[in-house]
Amino acid sequence: MLKDVFVVAATSFVALPALAQTCAFTMECYETEACQDTSFALTAELDDSKLVTDFGDLTVVGVKRDAPLITVFATGEGAEYLLSRNGDTARFTAHSNDGPTAITYLGTCEGEF
């Protein structure tokens, strides 16, 4: 009996894998201009409070879960960011502090957090 308790206690401290989402965006829309094809990706690592992008890591400042919508708020140098996911459909917007201006990316996300 004591051995069973020890095994349960020892295995309950095993680290769980970090959950992440990988998002791929294929459409970029700048302000009111026509949207264009693009190839942009990011990984949402909420355990580490960051969005990993090709242009650098962004700091996650908040997450709102209102099923089925998940919204991630992030900040980075010179802009604020919003990642919204509903099922596999995703939208990522960058709101520049210079202007203001906004760029919207449309795509999909895989994985869970």
Side-chain angles (χ1 to χ4, degrees):
M1 169 97 157
L2 185 56
K3 180 180 175 186
D4 293 336
V5 171
F6 177 74
V7 170
V8 169
T11 58
S12 57
F13 296 109
V14 174
L16 297 174
L19 300 175
Q21 289 189 13
T22 301
C23 303
F25 300 95
T26 57
M27 189 67 57
E28 176 185 73
C29 309
Y30 180 80
E31 289 289 318
T32 59
E33 295 176 12
C35 297
Q36 300 178 32
D37 291 340
T38 192
S39 180
F40 171 69
L42 67 79
T43 302
E45 297 179 358
L46 295 188
D47 289 347
D48 295 329
S49 297
K50 65 182 177 181
L51 298 180
V52 178
T53 73
D54 295 340
F55 59 87
D57 292 353
L58 307 174
T59 303
V60 172
V61 295
V63 177
K64 180 179 178 183
R65 298 172 195 265
D66 191 8
L69 182 66
I70 298 172
T71 307
V72 178
F73 303 88
T75 189
E77 189 173 325
E80 307 304 321
Y81 301 88
L82 179 69
L83 170 64
S84 299
R85 178 181 179 182
N86 186 346
D88 291 339
T89 302
R91 181 179 301 255
F92 180 71
T93 56
H95 301 263
S96 174
N97 296 335
D98 184 28
T101 57
I103 303 171
T104 300
Y105 295 91
L106 307 173
T108 60
C109 292
E110 296 179 356
E112 297 299 328
F113 54 66

